[in-house]
């Protein structure tokens, strides 16, 4: 999808707030595998607006200022491009009246001007702000005017803009989402190099360290068998890294699988300091039967009755020790599955044990203790191993 963005300001030196809106839009579009291909800064000009519009983007964001009169002139120029005129919009009027009543503001000419929008546009409003925006369509381009208010943009992005983009994407192409963990973006690209450059098919990777989302989009005119073969090939190549074929977080996937299988989990935690429990509880706390954070090894030995000979023979941070921790945790809890994370910043290794009465598997992970996202990365790693256990160590989809 071709997305453009224009920042209109008579003082292009003072446009930090508008730039923050672009950053917000860019980050959120990136999460769904889209990007802004063209960003332009200039003063309000009908001719310059027409020049950008002539590039025929699918979506054109136009970001205004704090000034009512200046924004009015922008709206007027956008209306002219669509061959429309400005008229009082009732939804914008109702929203502005609520704002004025809330802050005891009397209606004036400025308020009358603010609610004037292109005739056939859809108003974008937010009762906690003075300004209004709109969505209008000219030809095949959706023009989205946004005032210089980040809270306004956030509210309307979730309520109207994101659904619009999703509808446009689904109407022009088919999208397959593949969620993978434990592989870097550059390595994914190497794995999938043969699939790049196919006419009618695009592959976009949205990376977050070891947690990556792959969007495979094929236009409607692409042969369906060819598209299916490509997706099957990608899944086959990345099979051992895949945790979902839907655009869900790794935590949501783990919780959903626990609920589908009617299983609960008991958690023992050291180096992630309860982050795993908190992440799961945000989604559904009912899948957790118990959770303990161990800040010292003495507490682990006391609570879980670990055989001192095991620690003596193999060390505190070892495969044998965490196996005993997970086994003891499982026997002392009503949870169906035990998950234990054992590590410390004094070491460069973290062990994750996950299992049930049929068996416990231990995974050894090298860690970078200087990584600022260490807790989150290890928490996601534990979730990946949990999903692997729930899928009976078979990640074939």
């Amino acid at each position: 999808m071709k997305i453009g963005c224009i920042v209109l300001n008579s003082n292009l030196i003072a446009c930090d707030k508008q730039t923050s809106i672009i950053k917000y839009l860019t980050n959120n579009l990136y999460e769904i595998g889209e990007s802004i291909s063209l960003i332009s800064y200039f003063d309000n000009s009908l001719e310059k607006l027409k020049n950008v519009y002539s590039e025929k983007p699918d979506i054109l964001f136009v970001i205004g200022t704090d000034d009512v009169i200046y924004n009015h002139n922008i709206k007027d120029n956008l209306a002219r491009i669509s061959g429309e005129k400005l008229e009082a919009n009732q939804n914008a009027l109702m929203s502005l009246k609520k704002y004025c009543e809330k802050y005891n503001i009397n209606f004036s000419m400025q308020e009358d001007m603010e609610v004037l929008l292109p005739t056939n546009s859809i108003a974008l409003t937010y009762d906690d702000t003075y300004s209004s925006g709109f969505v209008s369509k000219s030809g095949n381009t959706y023009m989205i005017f946004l005032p210089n208010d980040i809270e306004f943009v956030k509210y309307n992005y979730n309520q109207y803009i994101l659904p619009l983009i999703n509808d446009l994407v689904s109407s022009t192409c088919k999208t397959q989402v593949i969620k993978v963990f434990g592989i870097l973006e550059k390595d994914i690209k190497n794995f999938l190099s043969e699939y790049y450059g196919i006419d009618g098919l695009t592959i976009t990777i949205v990376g977050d360290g070891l947690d990556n989302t792959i969007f495979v989009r094929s236009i409607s005119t692409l042969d369906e068998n060819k598209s299916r073969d490509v997706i099957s090939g990608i899944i086959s190549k990345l099979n051992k890294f895949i945790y979902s074929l839907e655009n869900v977080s790794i935590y949501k996937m783990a919780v959903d699988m626990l609920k589908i299988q009617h299983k609960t989990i008991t958690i023992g935690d050291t180096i992630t300091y309860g982050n795993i429990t908190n992440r799961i509880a945000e989604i559904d706390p009912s899948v957790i039967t118990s959770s303990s954070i161990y800040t010292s090894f003495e507490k682990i030995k006391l609570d879980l009755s670990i055989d001192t000979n095991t620690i003596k023979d193999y060390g505190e941070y070892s495969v044998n020790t965490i196996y005993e921790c997970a086994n003891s945790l499982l026997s002392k809890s009503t949870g169906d599955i035990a998950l234990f994370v054992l590590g410390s910043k004094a070491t460069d290794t973290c062990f994750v044990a996950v299992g049930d009465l049929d068996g416990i598997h231990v995974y050894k992970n090298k860690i970078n203790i200087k990584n600022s996202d260490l807790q989150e990365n290890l928490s996601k790693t534990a979730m990946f191993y949990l999903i692997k256990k729930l899928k009976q160590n078979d990640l074939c989809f």
Side-chain angles (χ1 to χ4, degrees), residues 280-382:
I280 293 176
E282 286 173 356
I283 300 168
D284 190 345
S286 69
V287 300
I288 304 172
T289 56
S290 64
S291 175
S292 301
I293 302 172
Y294 299 100
T295 56
S296 71
F297 219 89
E298 291 304 315
K299 182 172 172 57
I300 292 176
K301 289 189 288 186
L302 182 63
D303 285 4
L304 300 178
S305 306
I306 303 302
D307 187 346
T308 55
N309 288 328
T310 300
I311 299 172
K312 182 180 178 181
D313 293 342
Y314 301 101
E316 293 180 345
Y317 299 99
S318 65
V319 172
N320 299 72
T321 300
I322 191 174
Y323 181 89
E324 293 293 334
C325 290
N327 192 48
S328 177
L329 190 69
L330 188 63
S331 66
K332 292 176 180 290
S333 168
T334 59
D336 300 302
I337 295 176
L339 175 68
F340 203 99
V341 180
L342 181 64
S344 77
K345 290 192 175 181
T347 70
D348 63 353
T349 304
C350 176
F351 295 94
V352 178
V354 59
D356 52 23
L357 296 177
D358 292 328
I360 295 171
H361 199 102
V362 176
Y363 301 89
K364 182 179 180 181
N365 304 272
K366 285 288 186 180
I367 62 173
N368 176 9
I369 60 173
K370 295 180 180 179
N371 190 329
S372 59
D373 296 324
L374 179 62
Q375 290 183 31
E376 184 69 7
N377 288 342
L378 289 177
S379 298
K380 287 183 174 181
T381 300

Side-chain angles (χ1 to χ4, degrees), residues 150-302:
I150 187 65
E151 294 305 319
F152 177 99
V153 174
K154 288 179 180 179
Y155 174 81
N156 280 283
Y157 181 85
N158 292 320
Q159 292 290 321
Y160 302 108
I161 297 171
L162 181 58
L164 170 64
I165 294 172
N166 286 334
D167 286 346
L168 289 176
V169 170
S170 63
S171 67
T172 56
C173 62
K174 294 181 179 179
T175 302
Q176 176 64 61
V177 177
I178 303 171
K179 301 282 288 194
V180 296
F181 186 84
I183 180 171
L184 294 171
E185 182 177 344
K186 64 181 182 65
D187 296 322
I188 296 173
K189 289 180 178 179
N190 288 334
F191 268 106
L192 307 184
S193 58
E194 67 183 278
Y195 300 116
Y196 284 90
I198 297 175
D199 288 340
L201 187 139
T202 59
I203 299 173
T204 306
I205 302 170
V206 176
D208 182 15
L210 294 175
D211 190 7
N212 290 279
T213 308
I214 304 167
F215 295 88
V216 184
R217 293 195 172 104
S218 55
I219 60 175
S220 55
T221 55
L222 183 68
D223 181 74
E224 193 168 328
N225 290 327
K226 186 174 184 179
S227 175
R228 190 184 300 112
D229 288 344
V230 169
I231 292 170
S232 296
I234 291 173
I235 290 174
S236 176
K237 285 179 178 291
L238 297 174
N239 181 57
K240 66 179 181 179
F241 302 105
I242 297 172
Y243 66 84
S244 179
L245 296 180
E246 297 179 5
N247 198 7
V248 297
S249 73
I250 199 165
Y251 299 105
K252 181 72 163 55
M253 184 63 183
V255 170
D256 286 349
M257 291 194 68
L258 284 168
K259 292 170 70 175
I260 288 170
Q261 296 183 21
H262 304 289
K263 292 186 176 181
T264 56
I265 186 171
T266 180
I267 302 169
D269 199 357
T270 57
I271 193 170
T272 59
Y273 303 103
N275 187 58
I276 294 171
T277 300
N278 292 337
R279 289 292 194 174
I280 293 176
E282 286 173 356
I283 300 168
D284 190 345
S286 69
V287 300
I288 304 172
T289 56
S290 64
S291 175
S292 301
I293 302 172
Y294 299 100
T295 56
S296 71
F297 219 89
E298 291 304 315
K299 182 172 172 57
I300 292 176
K301 289 189 288 186
L302 182 63

Side-chain angles (χ1 to χ4, degrees), residues 6-10 18 42-44 49 62-65 70 74:
I6 300 171
V7 178
L8 300 180
N9 195 332
S10 57
Q18 292 165 306
F42 52 81
D43 193 3
N44 182 33
L49 283 170
V62 181
I63 303 173
T65 68
Y70 194 87
I74 295 172

